[in-house]
Amino acid sequence: MNLGPPKHPYSLARSSFDWSSVAYRYPPAAQLLSPPKPGLWQRKLPGIQHRFKPESPKDRQLREARRKAVRNLTLKCWNSYRKYAWKRDALLPISGDGRDQFSGWAATLVDSLDTLWIMGLRDEFDEAVAAVAEIDFGSSTSPQVNIFETTIRYLGGLLAAYDLSGREVLLQKAVELGDLIYGGFNTPNRMPVDNIDFEVAKNGSGLVVEDTVVSASPGSLTLELAHLSQVTGDPKYYDAIAPVTELFWRWQKRTALPGMFPMWVSMAREDVTTGSSFTLGGCADSLYEYFPKMHALLAGAEPKYAQLTRGFMEAAKRHPFFRPMVPSNDDILVSGNVNVDEELEPHLDPELEHLTCFIGGTFALAGRLLGSKEDVEVGARLARGCVYAYRSFPTGMMPERLNMVPCQDTEHCIWDEQVWDREKVKRPEYKPHLPKGFTTAKDPRYILRPEAIESVFYLWRITGHPEWQDAAWDMFQAVANGTATELAAAAVKDVTVVKPKLPQEDYMESFWIAETLKYFYLVFSPPSLISLDQYVLNTEAHPFLRPDMRR
């Protein structure tokens, strides 16, 4: 989508500190590793998207009406952010105030750039870019900067908006921020810290790597830093993350659940094997999401990512995935947690987090990239599991965390109310009003999360089956109605009960516009808009143009 030059020039305000000027105590090796490029001998990656046929006028009219509804809600939320929380990290959607939850660098503004561009909101985009050009990455509202959030939201947002619009000022700000993040690798073993001490990072004396961090933190820096090297030609960013990938790749088969990694790892000790708790949900999610996406971004030129992808997928099918027993006998899958005992026996905890709902889309994407129709279908069953959860609750929204009853016989899984009765009484969190099949809604909130619609988007684009557009519209109507405030959209405290006015929380994070609404919009857009054959979307739904697709 090329909407031409900006209506007014952008004036770049350099940050108050030049992060590229730091003399590091622990510099990289003299010979830097560049992002690999596919050789002439290498086969091209297979196509990802379904080959869509021309739609009928009736279907197009319906789709466009739905797309317009998503765009209108996005514009309502954006205008309220602009009016009440401009240049703050997030809008408080009930009280009409703003808050800084990260570093005070206008997270919602940066995170939403590509959404504005994709939706054709040109005036809003130009105004936002002018504001981004003034962000000072040399100062922060917090003495420590979280490297994970800074990378996925801020750097990811800048790079995607640059790829889409070509606005040079966005790349300049991305380089400023990339150099800050690069400082997070100034450690004795060149492994990244979880939180960058701002003042220590500035003097270059060296940072202390935390003993334990969630595995998603170091594992989710690869896509953005690799892409920054791709668009700038400077290999240092890719060189920084390559040893992190090497560490996970080298030890993948040596964990207590071979193929998967424990929820907590140690970059200080370079230990990604010690631990007995495993999940694809919070604390680990985007670690796994980035394995196939890096395979796509590098056009298959680094085989480690395909191997990491296959390894975790096989382990996931054997352990955390389970078929839940439901009254409709639907053939669905959900992903739980696994705890490994001292005898190395895995034990399933059948808890589903909303965060885990990304895995259906990731499985389907990986199945396409690696030529596995079986894994595309596994992804579809996982996505249907989360759609089932949405449709089961009376508000049409899925709780943040819940439990279901695993089928003992996955091939012949027939509803047995007596089994459900026995299981639910074992759960102190059980409430009598929960739908049949659910034994808890441990966290009954819906906090505007995108993971379920993310998987629906991927399955729509990969299979072309209309069930996914129908599911997306059901979800959108439920979410739009249940979260609506006068100003924008707010988290719902309990989606398991219906009341004339659902109790809400004065909470709306940047991912609501950056991810949730963007995915809804793309489901109802022509498939050529952000084609999965051209773009790789990071964990914050920021589309990076694949280098092999650049003209």
Side-chain angles (χ1 to χ4, degrees):
M1 182 189 297
N2 185 358
L3 300 181
K7 292 187 176 181
H8 56 83
Y10 304 129
S11 178
L12 173 67
R14 295 285 182 185
S15 292
S16 58
F17 182 80
D18 181 4
W19 289 100
S20 69
S21 68
V22 177
Y24 294 122
R25 181 177 181 181
Y26 305 108
Q31 186 67 37
L32 298 180
L33 188 64
S34 297
K37 298 178 181 179
L40 296 176
W41 53 268
Q42 191 173 338
R43 294 176 58 186
K44 289 183 63 176
L45 292 181
I48 298 169
Q49 285 208 163
H50 174 77
R51 294 185 179 181
F52 289 88
K53 296 179 180 178
E55 60 188 341
S56 69
K58 182 180 178 181
D59 288 343
R60 183 179 187 277
Q61 184 179 21
L62 177 62
R63 178 184 56 73
E64 287 293 342
R66 292 174 172 179
R67 179 160 74 146
K68 183 178 180 181
V70 179
R71 187 178 187 270
N72 288 343
L73 177 55
T74 306
L75 194 55
K76 172 188 173 181
C77 296
W78 176 259
N79 285 338
S80 291
Y81 169 75
R82 181 183 179 277
K83 182 176 181 179
Y84 298 104
W86 189 241
K87 296 186 179 182
R88 303 290 298 277
D89 281 343
L91 168 72
L92 296 175
I94 298 175
S95 60
D97 201 353
R99 66 171 181 145
D100 290 327
Q101 64 191 119
F102 298 116
S103 309
W105 297 326
T108 294
L109 196 155
V110 179
D111 226 0
S112 302
L113 285 170
D114 54 357
T115 299
L116 299 175
W117 181 272
I118 288 166
M119 293 189 182
L121 299 170
R122 173 61 184 281
D123 290 342
E124 291 78 6
F125 178 81
D126 283 348
E127 182 181 38
V129 172
V132 167
E134 298 173 353
I135 293 177
D136 182 6
F137 291 125
S139 65
S140 169
T141 56
S142 172
Q144 290 192 328
V145 176
N146 183 268
I147 196 170
F148 168 76
E149 300 290 359
T150 302
T151 300
I152 67 168
R153 301 193 196 216
Y154 292 103
L155 182 57
L158 292 169
L159 287 172
Y162 169 71
D163 274 353
L164 292 169
S165 70
R167 304 288 190 257
E168 194 65 29
V169 68
L170 295 171
L171 182 58
Q172 291 171 309
K173 299 305 287 187
V175 170
E176 287 184 2
L177 185 58
D179 288 339
L180 187 166
I181 295 167
Y182 186 73
F185 292 78
N186 181 26
T187 65
N189 62 357
R190 294 293 298 169
M191 289 290 149
V193 296
D194 195 39
N195 291 293
I196 302 173
D197 185 304
F198 220 62
E199 295 309 313
V200 174
K202 285 181 177 180
N203 66 39
S205 59
L207 297 168
V208 177
V209 183
E210 299 88 346
D211 185 62
T212 55
V213 296
V214 296
S215 58
S217 180
S220 306
L221 310 177
T222 52
L223 203 68
E224 294 80 7
L225 291 176
H227 195 51
L228 185 57
S229 281
Q230 288 175 332
V231 297
T232 62
D234 187 339
K236 72 178 184 181
Y237 311 106
Y238 180 83
D239 180 79
I241 57 93
V244 179
T245 297
E246 174 75 19
L247 181 65
F248 282 106
W249 174 78
R250 191 187 327 137
W251 294 99
Q252 186 179 26
K253 297 179 181 179
R254 303 288 294 275
T255 70
L257 204 67
M260 293 181 63
F261 299 95
M263 191 181 301
W264 295 84
V265 296
S266 177
M267 293 294 102
R269 289 177 276 113
E270 299 185 34
D271 179 2
V272 295
T273 63
T274 301
S276 58
S277 297
F278 296 80
T279 184
L280 291 168
C283 299
D285 44 7
S286 47
L287 165 71
Y288 301 103
E289 178 186 354
Y290 274 18
F291 292 155
K293 289 184 174 182
M294 279 295 288
H295 178 68
L297 187 72
L298 300 178
E302 172 49 83
K304 289 186 179 71
Y305 290 106
Q307 294 166 19
L308 284 161
T309 301
R310 290 189 179 96
F312 101 78
M313 291 172 75
E314 290 305 312
K317 286 185 288 188
R318 287 195 303 270
H319 298 291
F321 292 173
F322 68 94
R323 181 177 176 179
M325 185 181 69
V326 294
S328 60
N329 297 321
D330 285 8
D331 184 11
I332 58 176
L333 289 175
V334 295
S335 183
N337 306 318
V338 175
N339 297 301
V340 180
D341 64 23
E342 293 180 356
E343 284 71 41
L344 298 181
E345 285 295 322
H347 300 276
L348 175 68
D349 171 16
E351 176 186 277
L352 172 62
E353 286 184 272
H354 195 289
L355 278 166
T356 318
C357 284
F358 84 96
I359 192 61
T362 294
F363 242 74
L365 174 67
R368 269 284 199 266
L369 287 168
L370 301 178
S372 172
K373 292 181 180 179
E374 174 195 337
D375 288 326
V376 173
E377 179 52 33
V378 170
R381 292 174 68 198
L382 289 161
R384 290 188 190 109
C386 290
V387 170
Y388 179 89
Y390 267 75
R391 287 173 169 163
S392 294
F393 287 89
T395 57
M397 290 177 280
M398 174 185 164
E400 181 78 349
R401 290 168 62 218
L402 55 83
N403 282 81
M404 303 178 79
V405 181
C407 297
Q408 298 304 311
D409 183 349
T410 58
E411 294 298 322
H412 304 91
C413 185
I414 305 301
W415 171 252
D416 187 329
E417 192 146 346
Q418 290 183 337
V419 172
W420 175 61
D421 286 336
R422 287 199 302 269
E423 291 299 318
K424 70 188 183 185
V425 298
K426 297 177 184 178
R427 299 281 183 177
E429 307 96 336
Y430 174 73
K431 300 291 191 302
H433 68 272
L434 293 179
K436 289 184 177 182
F438 296 89
T439 58
T440 78
K442 290 178 178 175
D443 187 342
R445 299 176 301 156
Y446 172 70
I447 60 173
L448 309 177
R449 287 204 190 276
E451 289 79 16
I453 186 57
E454 173 183 349
S455 282
V456 169
F457 160 73
Y458 275 98
L459 267 298
W460 163 244
R461 288 293 188 87
I462 289 170
T463 70
H465 198 287
E467 71 169 289
W468 301 111
Q469 282 192 315
D470 294 339
W473 183 241
D474 289 346
M475 293 163 66
F476 175 75
Q477 292 181 99
V479 168
N481 292 332
T483 65
T485 72
E486 183 179 347
L487 302 179
V492 178
K493 293 181 179 179
D494 189 345
V495 300
T496 68
V497 293
V498 173
K499 296 181 179 180
K501 174 63 177 174
L502 292 177
Q504 295 177 325
E505 185 179 349
D506 200 8
Y507 175 90
M508 187 185 92
E509 279 203 46
S510 65
F511 57 64
W512 169 243
I513 297 177
E515 294 187 77
T516 311
L517 290 174
K518 183 192 296 169
Y519 280 127
F520 277 121
Y521 185 81
L522 289 174
V523 171
F524 302 122
S525 296
S528 59
L529 182 62
I530 313 300
S531 166
L532 295 180
D533 290 324
Q534 296 178 311
Y535 290 90
V536 179
L537 279 70
N538 87 333
T539 194
E540 199 74 3
H542 295 310
F544 299 161
L545 185 62
R546 282 168 40 176
D548 54 333
M549 296 296 163
R550 289 186 182 276
R551 295 186 178 88

